[in-house]
Amino acid sequence: MAKPNALHTLAELAQNDTEAAARELGRLQGLRTQAENQLNQLTQYRHEYRERMQAVAAEGMTSGRWHDFSRFLDSLDHAIRQQTTALEKAEADLLAGRSRWQNNKRRVNSFDTLIARADAREEKVAARREQRTNDEYAARLARDNASRLN
């Protein structure tokens, strides 16, 4: 393996960025799941409240009580719209976070490729150097053997 150099330092920094992006991606996934769960709870609660309202209405209710039920349903609808918006934002944030992580991962892979190529070049140079040394040694032995024979 090659000695540490700027390329290794950059690769390490890119790896750190990728790990940070992965942690952030996990956090964003948690926020998205939380937003979805809250929306599902609000929607379920609205459905149950609407059924309760219909059951009470079937037995008869005053206009004031009907108005109270309607107002509360309106506030639930408003909360559902807000939570839907929050979920959409959480999904957009998650997509952006995933994109950041993917870009960082590609960067790490690029540095790994560059390092592997540099290592391969270095190994090739070392192999040529060793071959040249061996060739020189073999030639010297051949010369020495030839001079001894003469």
Side-chain angles (χ1 to χ4, degrees):
M1 185 172 123
K3 59 187 177 292
N5 59 26
L7 202 52
H8 285 91
T9 302
L10 290 173
E12 187 176 320
L13 291 172
Q15 182 62 38
N16 292 343
D17 290 346
T18 300
E19 290 168 3
R23 284 189 300 276
E24 177 66 4
L25 187 57
R27 187 186 73 79
L28 292 171
Q29 178 61 48
L31 291 174
R32 188 232 170 261
T33 299
Q34 182 181 13
E36 183 179 35
N37 289 340
Q38 288 174 346
L39 178 59
N40 289 340
Q41 289 173 348
L42 282 170
T43 303
Q44 181 63 32
Y45 184 67
R46 188 202 185 283
H47 176 72
E48 292 168 1
Y49 192 81
R50 176 92 173 143
E51 285 179 348
R52 199 173 332 138
M53 178 181 158
Q54 289 173 337
V56 170
E59 296 173 5
M61 73 168 73
T62 64
S63 64
R65 188 138 189 232
W66 177 263
H67 181 69
D68 289 344
F69 267 110
S70 294
R71 240 186 15 225
F72 189 68
L73 277 177
D74 287 344
S75 68
L76 282 175
D77 288 340
H78 179 71
I80 288 171
R81 283 191 300 276
Q82 285 181 324
Q83 193 58 38
T84 299
T85 300
L87 177 58
E88 290 168 353
K89 182 187 179 317
E91 288 175 342
D93 290 347
L94 180 61
L95 286 174
R98 186 174 293 127
S99 178
R100 277 190 301 277
W101 175 81
Q102 288 171 337
N103 287 338
N104 283 327
K105 186 66 177 154
R106 272 192 292 276
R107 220 170 122 224
V108 166
N109 291 342
S110 295
F111 281 123
D112 288 347
T113 300
L114 290 173
I115 288 169
R117 287 179 186 165
D119 288 348
R121 276 192 306 272
E122 203 172 290
E123 288 173 13
K124 199 173 183 180
V125 167
R128 283 187 198 143
R129 191 177 304 122
E130 185 177 341
Q131 184 63 47
R132 187 173 32 245
T133 302
N134 289 339
D135 290 348
E136 288 172 3
Y137 180 73
R140 197 171 339 126
L141 278 178
R143 277 192 310 268
D144 289 348
N145 285 340
S147 68
R148 276 187 242 157
L149 293 176
N150 289 337

